[in-house]
Amino acid sequence: FRSMTDERRHVSSAAYAEHLEVHRGGVGVQMVVDSGSRRLRSTVKTTEGEPRFTGRDTELDTIERQLRSRCVVVLSGAPGLGKSRLAREYAHKHAGEYPGGLFFIPFEQPPPLELARLLHDIDRSRAAGESIEDQCRRALAELGNSGRTLLVYDAVADERTLRNWLPHDGLDWHLIATSTSARWARAWSRVEVRTLGEHAERELVLSILGDVAETGTERLMRRIAAKAVGVTVELCASAAAAYERLYLGYAVEDVEAALATETSSSFESAWNLLSPAAQLTLQVASTYVSTRFPSSLVVDALGYIGQDPSTTSNAIDEA
């Protein structure tokens, strides 16, 4: 819920950028990267400030190898395993190979609105009365014209949807699609994303906990990993919730005890670590049915039932 202005605005990457100008808008962060005389357009949000990326070197190598001979690679696997983060990591690692730009396109509900927004990015005006779908189709006819372009299609429902929204043949592009569907024909180049190995899980949890827990960290780490049952997103959420409690002065034993209760649904362990005020804040926020909105809406809504704004502000930070 926090204002996007609190995010870090600079990314250091000797591989492809010296300066990064950040523009807010759309679903992701639009970036224009200066590297000498070259300018690289990108809507692939930076991973700066996110949990450490670990345990996926094999998958990164496989994506790179498959894109040498194919235009499309599908990252498939269960929800919450980090497919989107894997695609973003690949994009940033190989940004120098895509002078035409890096573009992240959410596919929650086609037609993908971000494709239509790319018309502005590639300096094409919108025709009067033109539908969103027509704008998307027109963008697909342009991507790859000004140099090799990388597209990340996130959360594609199935192969029929992907086939229906492929860029035009003959243009210079690569595409990485993420999907929870397991039904893909053998003709597709596919990378199956599985749960992290035990060593990678440990590295990830410890990178989030840091040195805030001086004793009992190993035991707490094992408890968090056991509760996440291989779901990377829940692993991060539970570790972050544990870190917050430890930072506020709770004993390791108390945090471990809160995680010890059997869980039957995703994120329940992290939910149990939240204060009642933070739980209420999330419940109110969920009524907006939107991925982004001003935090003032939540503050005002809870103010009507008598909750102090400072309490709500702290609850937002905790959540």
Side-chain angles (χ1 to χ4, degrees):
F1 315 126
R2 267 296 166 230
S3 168
M4 295 286 283
T5 58
D6 291 336
E7 293 182 359
R8 298 179 182 179
R9 291 178 174 266
H10 299 284
V11 177
S12 298
S13 178
Y16 71 95
E18 294 176 355
H19 302 287
L20 180 67
E21 180 185 356
V22 178
H23 303 276
R24 305 302 178 187
V27 171
V29 177
Q30 293 188 336
M31 298 177 286
V32 179
V33 181
D34 283 329
S35 182
S37 60
R38 187 184 73 219
R39 297 178 66 81
L40 174 66
R41 300 186 188 93
S42 174
T43 60
V44 180
K45 185 180 178 182
T46 174
T47 59
E48 182 83 358
E50 295 185 11
R52 178 180 178 181
F53 183 78
T54 183
R56 298 295 188 196
D57 290 340
T58 299
E59 288 87 345
L60 284 173
D61 292 341
T62 302
I63 296 171
E64 180 180 11
R65 185 173 62 253
Q66 292 188 359
L67 285 178
R68 289 173 188 163
S69 57
R70 305 295 294 273
C71 292
V72 181
V73 171
V74 177
L75 309 183
S76 63
L81 295 182
K83 298 181 294 297
S84 301
R85 176 68 183 272
L86 174 59
R88 289 163 57 208
E89 287 288 338
Y90 181 89
H92 289 301
K93 183 178 180 180
H94 295 270
E97 301 170 19
Y98 296 99
L102 314 168
F103 302 109
F104 188 91
I105 312 295
F107 258 78
E108 288 92 348
Q109 185 176 350
L113 182 60
E114 289 303 300
L115 271 178
R117 287 176 173 153
L118 289 183
L119 282 177
H120 173 74
D121 187 82
I122 55 181
D123 300 324
R124 297 293 187 272
S125 60
R126 182 179 63 181
E130 188 177 24
S131 69
I132 294 296
E133 179 164 349
D134 286 343
Q135 293 174 52
C136 292
R137 299 293 179 191
R138 195 150 58 91
L140 289 177
E142 298 290 343
L143 293 170
N145 269 329
S146 58
R148 177 162 290 178
T149 301
L150 178 64
L151 298 169
V152 176
Y153 281 6
D154 191 53
V156 176
D158 49 39
E159 65 175 71
R160 180 180 179 181
T161 301
L162 177 56
R163 196 181 301 277
N164 191 39
W165 289 100
L166 289 177
H168 287 205
D169 291 336
L171 300 179
D172 196 3
W173 53 267
H174 283 165
L175 191 153
I176 300 174
T178 75
S179 178
T180 57
S181 173
R183 303 182 64 180
W184 293 89
R186 292 185 179 181
W188 297 99
S189 293
R190 186 170 149 222
V191 177
E192 187 172 357
V193 180
R194 303 179 184 273
T195 57
L196 287 175
E198 184 178 346
H199 179 70
E201 280 190 332
R202 181 181 182 279
E203 282 191 349
L204 179 56
V205 172
L206 291 181
S207 71
I208 296 172
L209 293 179
D211 57 0
V212 72
E214 297 180 358
T215 60
T217 303
E218 279 289 336
R219 188 174 65 249
L220 181 59
M221 180 274 297
R222 289 194 296 269
R223 177 70 70 182
I224 291 171
K227 287 302 174 186
V229 292
V231 179
T232 311
V233 175
E234 183 162 348
L235 192 78
C236 293
S238 295
Y243 172 87
E244 182 73 14
R245 279 295 181 92
L246 293 169
Y247 183 80
L248 293 174
Y250 287 79
V252 171
E253 292 76 16
D254 293 336
V255 178
E256 185 184 3
L259 290 168
T261 306
E262 284 296 324
T263 59
S264 58
S265 63
S266 181
F267 295 103
E268 186 173 345
S269 57
W271 173 262
N272 288 336
L273 289 172
L274 291 176
S275 67
Q279 291 180 348
L280 178 60
T281 297
L282 281 179
Q283 290 171 325
V284 170
S286 69
T287 64
Y288 291 105
V289 198
S290 175
T291 57
R292 182 176 301 168
F293 48 83
S295 60
S296 59
L297 292 179
V298 180
V299 175
D300 292 344
L302 289 172
Y304 283 117
I305 62 173
Q307 183 161 295
D308 184 79
S310 63
T311 299
T312 302
S313 180
N314 290 335
I316 288 173
D317 287 336
E318 182 184 350

